[in-house]
Amino acid sequence: MAPNAAEDLSVESISPFGTARATVKDTPLSKDEVKKFDDYFKASLYLCLGMLYLKQNPLLKEPLKVEHLKSRLLGHWGSDAGQIFTYIHFNRLIKKYDLDAIFISGPGHGAPAVLSQAYLEGTYSEVYPDKTEDIEGMRRFFKQFSFPGGIGSHATPETPGSLHEGGELGYSISHAFGTVFDNPDLISLTMVGDGESETGPLATSWHSTKFLNPITDGAVLPVLHLNGYKINNPTVLARISHRELENLFIGYGWTPYFVEGSDPETMHQAMAATLEKCVTEIRAYQKQARESGKPFRPLWPMIVLRSPKGWTSPRKVDDRFLEGFWRAHQVPIPDAATNPAHLKVLEDWMRGYEPEKVFDESGKLIPELKELPPTGIRRMSANPVANGGLLKKALNMPDFRDYAIEVRRGGTTDAPSMSNMALFLRDIIAANQTNFRLFGPDETESNKLGAVYQAGKKVWMGDYFDEDADGGNLAFGGRVMEMLSEHTVEGWLEGYILSGRHGLLNSYEPFIHIIDSMVNQHCKWIEKAQEVEWRAKVASLNILLTATVWRQDHNGFTHQDPGFLDVVANKSPEVVRIYLPPDGNCLLSVMDHCLRSNNYVNVIVADKQNHLQYLDMEAAIEHCTKGVGIWDWASNDQGCEPDLVMASCGDVPTMESLAATALLREYLPQLKIRFVNVVDLFKLVPEIEHSHGLTDREYAAIFTTDRPVVFNFHSYPWLIHRLTYRRQGQHNMHVRGYKEKGNIDTPLELAIRNQTDRFSLAIDAIDRIPSLGNSGSAAREKLLNEQIRCRNLAFENGIDPKSVQEWVWPF
């Protein structure tokens, strides 16, 4: 220890070993109860080792042999004991206080911990009848773990009681808070791994208490599990002093209670007392707020549990540390099949849990232990909140057609698509005050959604200033959740919908990349959940991307990135949907569809500024229902073969493509041009690859197979080529989109940089039409001159010329 280190930073004070050291000193358990809890602990740990190692001889009725072991040993042991320890002691409180609770496993790679509880509580056998509570059922239960044709090594969707896989770390706290919003009776007991605690998303999520209303919401009880090591390194929070750790969490707004040690008897008493202290504090805060009708923000309780990594395993094997060291992280004795001495160590270790005493001859947990956990839906492994589709109620939706923007002639009406849609969203919130919330990172007002505050303001449990009354839109009981952490608000939304509610995330398009990986993980969860028969469908994860690339000219290059669509397009076609409505009425239709859907990740891309409107409501509904279509009013190829197909996807690209079409018809009136717009991006994919995809016949009827197509796309152009690569005539597809060219620009100048502007598109079309030969050269020259003139005016005046700003469809 450094000479100037704090006095309480000593090896002894932060050691995970020894007799229990705890903030709460009570001893609520009798000796008999301590023994029962310890026996239940042993039964659980035995099951964990069985899952890691065994495919035969599940109760060790005969000496352990190599042929009883799985050929490939997979899984994680290190966090199992601490998770089980917390789980079984909370069960006592569920029974004592009739609590409604779920368990969230942050270190979800320690799935044996939660699987063992589901099995011992009987839930596993209920949902998987072949995994019976007997020797044969136990054998099947062991063999399936991390085994081909079985289940994964995390708290996957196949795990009863789980709504958080815990494979990718960092989201346990935000998911937990999502489950308790508008769920006033729920306590989400959340294990936070000390490795997980080093992640950015987890660090920001501790602030979630500033948004938790003790009247309308439940509570999260975090248990920070300091077992000291990650895969091969110490963990940061396990190697700092008590004083630092306590101050850290007080600063976050929590009251930390410590439980530390490895001696089972004293640790059982300490954990039982500490959990009970936390539960009674939670209930007291809620009672105070609910009876007074005055919400407030207490320093909510949390627990710091310090126990050895791989607790209860041998301290050393071959004189090398195992328990309390990084070697206990995964499979603790990996060479048991090839080292006879280590096989014997494993057998002795497993027999030390006394399976013959905690299980009867048939392989079932003995009755005096079977009575310890709660029953029915009070079991955390059977709580319907963790299978939220069972609790989901359909939204009370107003008729989106009542919010229609009047469009008498396509491309001539300028209107605020996003602000108008906000009125629809406002009334959805007003009609669904307990099961719908709007989430976002400090951008709701900026994204032109401010009308929603008429139905529900922003939740804020922090202190208030007088100025907040002047447009702050803050309230203790709001419906809008804003925090400048995309990770946290996304985690809240995921927890909210996975526990049976509905919501929408709005975000600036360029910064949605911050949660690429979170959305990726949610997609994987939904895809797997669809394969699990007992999983009910949950509401879709809806993401509205605005402040889009083509109107980030003023913010510059850093704010220009539409590539989230590429990330989403990589996911399973059973799960993802991408919509780019070209105008306000299409945005209303798409939003209504997405909010009514289940088990999808819907991405909606629409800019927040005023834009030209193209379709009246009836035409918009038809267009969005089809997902792609020919705009007859913008085409002049009726009854004949087109010379050119002009296609667009996205609101700004559609305007530029229409303007290019108008220029071509003005300069080259003999051309027959078909105008196509795409709303549903996956219509471009063959129907055998995506359920929304067009058949080849349908595709050819719109895009042709032998005519040039100039496709103006909202995002990176290569995505369109990827989606259409199997289509006949794909070589005729010429895509323009964002090509990573940007600066502080005008809207048109930004488009010119990326060749998505009207002049570049029209020039490109002239170059692609074989029948023109060299006859289009004069028109081409005019277009190039006009493009140069507009760009120079932008550099001189800082804005686009009025002819561009006020352009409308001329035909």
Side-chain angles (χ1 to χ4, degrees):
M1 185 175 70
N4 60 346
E7 290 182 7
D8 62 342
L9 180 51
S10 65
V11 173
E12 291 77 16
S13 70
I14 62 172
S15 168
F17 291 100
T19 302
R21 310 178 303 279
T23 311
V24 181
K25 305 300 184 184
D26 296 342
T27 54
L29 303 178
S30 67
K31 285 187 176 182
D32 182 58
E33 286 175 318
V34 169
K35 184 180 186 311
K36 285 183 178 179
F37 276 106
D38 199 53
D39 286 346
Y40 201 97
F41 190 37
K42 289 177 179 178
S44 303
L45 292 166
Y46 180 82
L47 292 181
C48 291
L49 283 181
M51 282 182 262
L52 294 180
Y53 285 100
L54 300 183
K55 66 177 181 180
Q56 299 289 344
N57 192 20
L59 272 181
L60 298 182
K61 295 278 190 180
E62 55 182 286
L64 184 61
K65 300 175 183 176
V66 171
E67 52 264 36
H68 298 152
L69 303 180
K70 298 177 185 180
S71 299
R72 192 164 71 144
L73 303 177
L74 299 169
H76 292 74
W77 166 254
S79 71
D80 293 354
Q83 293 198 74
I84 291 166
F85 187 67
T86 302
Y87 191 111
I88 64 177
H89 280 289
F90 204 77
N91 274 343
R92 180 181 74 90
L93 301 174
I94 292 174
K95 292 180 71 175
K96 181 173 180 178
Y97 296 105
D98 191 30
L99 301 179
D100 181 15
I102 62 170
F103 184 85
I104 291 180
S105 173
H109 48 258
V114 288
L115 289 166
S116 68
Q117 301 314 293
Y119 184 75
L120 292 177
E121 291 174 358
T123 314
Y124 211 87
S125 300
E126 292 168 14
V127 298
Y128 302 110
D130 63 321
K131 309 302 187 298
T132 45
E133 295 181 70
D134 55 28
I135 291 176
E136 178 56 20
M138 187 183 292
R139 184 193 68 79
R140 291 173 178 162
F141 179 67
F142 287 171
K143 182 182 176 183
Q144 67 163 357
F145 180 78
S146 285
F147 201 85
I151 60 173
S153 63
H154 303 93
T156 63
E158 296 94 335
T159 306
S162 176
L163 54 66
H164 171 91
E165 180 161 336
E168 182 173 286
L169 302 178
Y171 316 135
S172 60
I173 293 289
S174 58
H175 279 169
F177 273 88
T179 66
V180 301
F181 292 140
D182 297 321
N183 226 336
D185 297 327
L186 183 68
I187 296 178
S188 288
L189 177 64
T190 306
M191 294 296 295
V192 180
D194 49 355
E196 179 184 23
S197 71
E198 297 175 13
T199 66
L202 198 285
T204 65
S205 66
W206 291 114
H207 288 298
S208 298
T209 56
K210 284 83 170 178
F211 304 88
L212 188 78
N213 186 321
I215 296 177
T216 58
D217 302 329
V220 173
L221 178 52
V223 179
L224 174 62
H225 188 201
L226 300 183
N227 62 35
Y229 292 89
K230 304 183 286 284
I231 295 174
N232 189 229
N233 271 303
T235 55
V236 171
L237 294 186
R239 296 292 183 95
I240 66 175
S241 71
H242 268 235
R243 182 182 178 187
E244 282 184 272
L245 203 55
E246 186 173 21
N247 287 342
L248 174 67
F249 287 105
I250 291 173
Y252 270 130
W254 297 85
T255 300
Y257 292 98
F258 288 81
V259 178
E260 304 166 285
S262 61
D263 171 62
E265 183 175 348
T266 54
M267 285 292 284
H268 283 302
Q269 290 283 16
M271 194 61 170
T274 303
L275 280 169
E276 187 153 11
K277 171 72 171 173
C278 293
V279 167
T280 54
E281 276 193 10
I282 287 169
R283 289 164 68 93
Y285 291 141
Q286 292 173 337
K287 184 174 186 289
Q288 178 184 340
R290 293 169 190 180
E291 290 184 354
S292 68
K294 297 177 180 178
F296 65 100
R297 182 175 67 88
L299 297 182
W300 293 96
M302 64 165 291
I303 295 172
V304 178
L305 171 64
R306 193 190 305 269
S307 62
K309 186 86 167 179
W311 188 16
T312 75
S313 58
R315 179 69 169 119
K316 289 185 176 181
V317 175
D318 290 346
D319 206 33
R320 305 191 78 178
F321 286 112
L322 181 58
E323 183 193 33
F325 200 49
W326 61 262
R327 291 191 185 92
H329 181 75
Q330 295 177 325
V331 177
I333 302 178
D335 62 346
T338 57
N339 186 322
H342 288 182
L343 181 65
K344 185 67 169 72
V345 171
L346 174 63
E347 180 178 11
D348 292 344
W349 175 15
M350 293 186 72
R351 291 190 184 278
Y353 294 128
E354 302 179 299
E356 71 284 355
K357 291 184 179 178
V358 294
F359 298 100
D360 65 20
E361 274 297 312
S362 71
K364 189 170 186 176
L365 192 67
I366 59 176
E368 52 265 44
L369 298 184
K370 192 71 176 172
E371 68 183 16
L372 286 181
T375 58
I377 61 171
R378 284 296 187 244
R379 295 171 294 177
M380 289 191 283
S381 63
N383 193 318
V385 169
N387 187 7
L390 296 174
L391 304 175
K392 178 175 62 68
K393 296 179 181 178
L395 288 173
N396 180 6
M397 296 281 286
D399 190 337
F400 70 94
R401 294 172 295 184
D402 294 340
Y403 306 83
I405 296 172
E406 185 178 5
V407 179
R408 295 183 178 178
R409 190 163 68 88
T412 60
T413 301
D414 185 76
S417 302
M418 191 62 67
S419 297
N420 182 68
M421 193 278 292
L423 302 176
F424 177 52
L425 203 55
R426 172 200 65 193
D427 294 346
I428 293 172
I429 292 172
N432 301 274
Q433 284 283 298
T434 60
N435 67 331
F436 182 91
R437 293 199 185 202
L438 176 65
F439 300 81
D442 184 39
E443 292 160 4
T444 303
E445 184 71 32
S446 174
N447 288 339
K448 311 296 185 183
L449 298 173
V452 300
Y453 297 139
Q454 298 168 28
K457 297 187 185 301
K458 291 178 284 190
V459 175
W460 186 256
M461 296 300 298
D463 291 338
Y464 283 69
F465 291 158
D466 292 341
E467 302 94 285
D468 295 327
D470 184 20
N473 291 306
L474 305 179
F476 291 124
R479 305 307 303 162
V480 179
M481 309 295 294
E482 285 198 341
M483 177 177 163
L484 193 46
S485 164
E486 284 83 355
H487 288 117
T488 300
V489 293
E490 170 69 12
W492 288 346
L493 174 57
E494 289 177 4
Y496 197 67
I497 63 177
L498 287 169
S499 55
R501 281 74 62 75
H502 308 255
L504 171 69
L505 174 72
N506 76 100
S507 174
Y508 281 10
E509 180 184 54
F511 304 126
I512 197 68
H513 276 300
I514 294 168
I515 56 167
D516 279 359
S517 195
M518 287 188 80
V519 175
N520 173 47
Q521 292 296 316
H522 187 78
C523 288
K524 291 175 182 292
W525 177 276
I526 292 299
E527 183 178 359
K528 270 295 168 194
Q530 290 177 352
E531 300 172 8
V532 179
E533 290 182 0
W534 52 268
R535 283 272 177 195
K537 290 183 177 181
V538 297
S540 295
L541 176 67
N542 298 302
I543 300 174
L544 173 63
L545 300 184
T546 188
T548 57
V549 56
W550 302 112
R551 288 299 179 263
Q552 285 293 335
D553 48 277
H554 62 294
N555 273 323
F557 197 30
T558 59
H559 284 56
Q560 298 162 5
D561 190 329
F564 185 68
L565 301 190
D566 294 77
V567 175
V568 176
N570 287 332
K571 297 298 103 186
S572 169
E574 284 79 27
V575 174
V576 293
R577 304 288 184 264
I578 298 174
Y579 301 98
L580 296 99
D583 70 357
N585 288 331
C586 289
L587 176 59
L588 287 166
S589 179
V590 165
M591 188 61 67
D592 179 81
H593 171 76
C594 291
L595 292 178
R596 293 177 186 273
S597 68
N598 296 315
N599 269 28
Y600 294 130
V601 172
N602 295 313
V603 178
I604 306 150
V605 184
D607 190 59
K608 65 184 182 181
Q609 307 296 345
N610 282 28
H611 287 287
L612 287 176
Q613 306 298 311
Y614 307 115
L615 305 177
D616 63 28
M617 181 54 77
E618 183 179 353
I621 293 171
E622 292 171 354
H623 185 49
C624 293
T625 301
K626 293 183 296 182
V628 57
I630 298 169
W631 282 2
D632 187 67
W633 59 269
S635 306
N636 68 344
D637 70 324
Q638 294 84 352
C640 61
E641 289 286 337
D643 297 303
L644 169 71
V645 176
M646 292 292 286
S648 67
C649 185
D651 42 23
V652 173
T654 294
M655 181 187 70
E656 290 300 317
S657 194
L658 282 168
T661 301
L663 288 169
L664 288 168
R665 287 174 61 175
E666 177 186 351
Y667 294 159
L668 298 165
Q670 74 274 25
L671 289 180
K672 299 301 180 184
I673 303 174
R674 176 179 297 175
F675 193 89
V676 173
N677 181 260
V678 178
V679 179
D680 180 347
L681 190 61
F682 288 116
K683 285 292 179 181
L684 300 176
V685 180
E687 86 286 1
I688 61 172
E689 295 181 6
H690 196 290
S691 61
H692 282 204
L694 298 173
T695 66
D696 286 342
R697 185 184 294 271
E698 291 169 332
Y699 181 88
I702 293 172
F703 291 99
T704 77
T705 60
D706 58 355
R707 302 300 161 119
V709 179
V710 176
F711 196 125
N712 206 23
F713 182 45
H714 172 84
S715 186
Y716 293 98
W718 356 106
L719 179 57
I720 299 300
H721 287 297
R722 195 181 108 202
L723 297 176
T724 60
Y725 82 98
R726 295 183 59 177
R727 296 297 193 180
Q728 187 178 359
Q730 203 276 340
H731 61 285
N732 293 318
M733 179 72 74
H734 310 288
V735 187
R736 297 293 172 257
Y738 186 68
K739 296 195 294 186
E740 206 63 21
K741 301 295 181 183
N743 203 337
I744 299 296
D745 302 300
T746 66
L748 182 66
E749 205 259 321
L750 176 61
I752 291 171
R753 282 180 181 271
N754 292 277
Q755 298 180 298
T756 62
D757 65 290
R758 59 199 67 186
F759 307 113
S760 295
L761 295 171
I763 290 169
D764 198 20
I766 291 171
D767 292 345
R768 305 288 181 184
I769 301 172
S771 62
L772 282 179
N774 204 33
S775 63
S777 296
R780 192 183 193 284
E781 197 71 8
K782 288 180 183 179
L783 291 166
L784 187 57
N785 290 339
E786 184 65 13
Q787 183 187 62
I788 293 169
R789 185 184 75 85
C790 287
R791 198 174 191 199
N792 287 338
L793 286 171
F795 290 153
E796 182 178 345
N797 301 320
I799 58 174
D800 289 322
K802 278 193 173 182
S803 59
V804 172
Q805 293 185 54
E806 298 175 0
W807 181 87
V808 295
W809 179 249
F811 296 99

